[in-house]
């Protein structure tokens, strides 16, 4: 399953943001990870990958495939400075 990692803009400093996008998976005990997939207005957007119970190895395999496909590390926006 692929889902959005965030319901909106990045949270303010000192918080990890709204837990709503992660809560269902945590409650069910399912393995989940987030990885950047796109850039919008200079900010990274992430997606969550959710796997069935006890399928962490499959989750990591699929995440690695998506990471290669998206190639986000080669599309990083410039750091202002």
């Amino acid at each position: 399953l692929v889902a959005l990692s965030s319901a909106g803009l990045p949270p303010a400093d000192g918080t990890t943001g709204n837990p709503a996008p992660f809560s269902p998976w945590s409650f069910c005990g399912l393995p989940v990870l987030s990885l950047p997939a796109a850039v919008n207005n200079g900010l990274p957007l992430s997606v969550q990958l959710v796997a069935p119970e006890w399928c962490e190895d499959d989750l990591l395999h699929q995440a690695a495939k998506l990471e290669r496909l998206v190639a986000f590390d080669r599309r990083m926006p410039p750091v202002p400075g």
Side-chain angles (χ1 to χ4, degrees):
L1 174 67
V2 177
L4 293 176
S5 292
S6 174
L9 296 174
D13 289 343
T15 179
T16 59
N18 183 349
F22 301 100
S23 296
W25 321 125
S26 295
F27 180 75
C28 294
L30 299 176
V32 61
L33 62 77
S34 294
L35 68 153
V39 175
N40 184 8
N41 294 327
L43 297 172
L45 297 175
S46 296
V47 294
Q48 296 181 83
L49 301 182
V50 184
E53 203 172 15
W54 304 112
C55 291
E56 288 86 351
D57 54 342
D58 293 335
L59 176 64
L60 294 172
H61 178 73
Q62 294 302 320
K65 285 174 42 176
L66 181 60
E67 192 173 40
R68 284 190 300 273
L69 179 69
V70 171
F72 186 82
D73 59 330
R74 292 185 292 278
R75 297 185 301 131
M76 289 292 292
V79 176

